[in-house]
Amino acid sequence: MTVIPMTTDVPHQLIVITGPTAVGKTSLTIQIARHFFTEIISADSRQFYKEMRIGTARPSKTEMKAVPHHFIGHLSIHDPYNVSRFENDALSKLEDLFSKHHIVLLTGGAGLYINAVCSGIDELPDPDDSLREGLKELYLKGGIAALLDRLKDLDPDYYRTVDRANPKRLMRALEVCITTGQTYTSLRKNKPKPRDFRVIKIGLFRDKEDLAKRISDRTDAMMAEGLLDEVKSLYPFRHLNALNTVGYKELFQCIDKEITLSQAVEKIKTNTRRYAKRQMTWFRKDEDIRWFHADDVEGISRMLDAGCWMLDAG
RNA sequence: GGCGUCGUAGCUCAGAUGGUAGAGCAGAGGACUGAAAAUCCUUGUGUCACUGGUUCGAUUCCAGUCGAUGCCA
């Protein structure tokens, strides 16, 4: 029997499985996890919430039993949460898991969250509720112009490069400047943080028609499973950020009689397609991702079993 | 069968008293550092149903054909 000793010269490996929504990450990741007798960390910013089960395509009970999953349903929609917290939570969970496994899997479709785990994000202050309220107020009263005015003062460099039409970006930058007394620009180092594990990123793709079909089928399946009831039960909380989510917001509109049920279902499908598209534009930029067709289990296994990726610098 | 209305971008529709056309949605591309399934940006050439006629010129006017639809029979 060969036991690989847990020493520093054998690097821990984080295998990241990513790709657009509905591409088939869940089942493939479970297969790989079983192959390596390891566990899965989810980087899916909506599967975190315990109240959102059907609409987020959470892995089934059987699937979760087959392989331990982490960060699925561990939060309530009422809990404030963000990437930075996820970075911390995931890192400490990884430390724990790496004491038992050489290889751990991370899967999900939120590129920002994955990057936070793999290379970290800058130290910036968490949002402050009352300040955020104030900025929202400023925006409502004075519009984008008011935000821009303020930013021009507080961080002229960022003012030059921001997307000036994006209120959320502007408000966040202002928030950081005001709470720290420093410019947002100066705090954004954009330097990867060292990690004591290696990362390999696997991207799953499918052609457009195939993905669209899967999205459509999955949406129908969610409806058959009772999405509408799930959404109804969350209706009182529809203004929470967690519920500003594809599959939920459209059905809220239906409950509000703004659109019909079949219109809502169609809208869920097109919004999911658009989400998948946005994910792809994010992932395309990431040169570390090795792409495989989502059905190419053979190819992925071959690559992983060859183990040559373990020798990659990283 | 008669009379009327309509036929313009993938969809819903606007428009030009005749000089080959434009919105919304969809689609496509992009951005992205604590709200990220979020938020935001860019992007519109299409036999203007078909066939003739009038005209320097017709998608626009006229006639016919076909299709849709409404009313009357």
Side-chain angles (χ1 to χ4, degrees), chain A residues 108-293:
Chain A
L112 182 65
Y113 281 61
I114 290 169
N115 287 357
V117 175
C118 297
S119 30
I121 55 172
D122 292 319
E123 301 295 334
L124 295 170
D126 268 347
D128 172 273
D129 282 348
S130 66
L131 177 57
R132 195 162 267 198
E133 277 311 304
L135 289 168
K136 224 177 240 172
E137 182 105 12
L138 178 68
Y139 172 54
L140 287 176
K141 277 193 192 148
I144 290 269
L147 298 176
L148 284 171
D149 260 15
R150 200 78 201 279
L151 186 66
K152 199 174 189 174
D153 242 31
L154 294 177
D155 189 346
D157 289 326
Y158 192 59
Y159 174 83
R160 240 168 270 131
T161 55
V162 238
D163 177 357
R164 292 187 198 172
N166 193 329
K168 281 193 182 180
R169 291 275 144 68
L170 298 172
M171 285 190 269
R172 162 98 272 242
L174 287 172
E175 186 175 271
V176 172
C177 294
I178 292 166
T179 60
T180 61
Q182 295 172 264
T183 63
Y184 186 48
T185 311
S186 69
L187 295 165
R188 289 177 45 180
K189 313 282 188 220
N190 200 18
K191 266 213 184 92
K193 291 182 193 164
R195 305 262 102 128
D196 56 5
F197 50 84
R198 286 182 174 178
V199 174
I200 177 166
K201 292 183 184 172
I202 295 172
L204 268 28
F205 71 89
R206 314 189 90 102
D207 67 62
K208 224 178 8 196
E209 293 71 26
D210 187 14
L211 192 66
K213 172 90 167 63
R214 288 174 63 96
I215 287 171
S216 173
D217 291 349
R218 189 179 72 177
T219 306
D220 294 337
M222 285 174 176
M223 291 303 293
E225 207 186 328
L227 216 212
L228 186 57
D229 287 332
E230 179 169 296
V231 173
K232 275 181 183 159
S233 74
L234 298 173
Y235 184 80
F237 316 115
R238 62 194 176 286
H239 299 302
L240 293 174
N241 177 253
L243 291 171
N244 182 189
T245 297
V246 175
Y248 293 80
K249 54 185 174 186
E250 298 85 355
L251 288 171
F252 288 144
Q253 283 185 287
C254 167
I255 294 168
D256 285 334
K257 300 263 188 288
E258 287 166 26
I259 54 178
T260 67
L261 184 61
S262 67
Q263 284 173 328
V265 172
E266 277 317 300
K267 243 179 150 175
I268 291 173
K269 292 176 183 178
T270 91
N271 284 338
T272 306
R273 269 183 255 124
R274 281 144 72 89
Y275 170 49
K277 184 183 146 121
R278 265 179 276 133
Q279 289 175 298
M280 285 308 293
T281 110
W282 177 290
F283 296 141
R284 266 193 284 261
K285 265 194 325 195
D286 189 338
E287 292 175 357
D288 296 332
I289 297 179
R290 301 175 191 212
W291 290 98
F292 289 86
H293 189 278

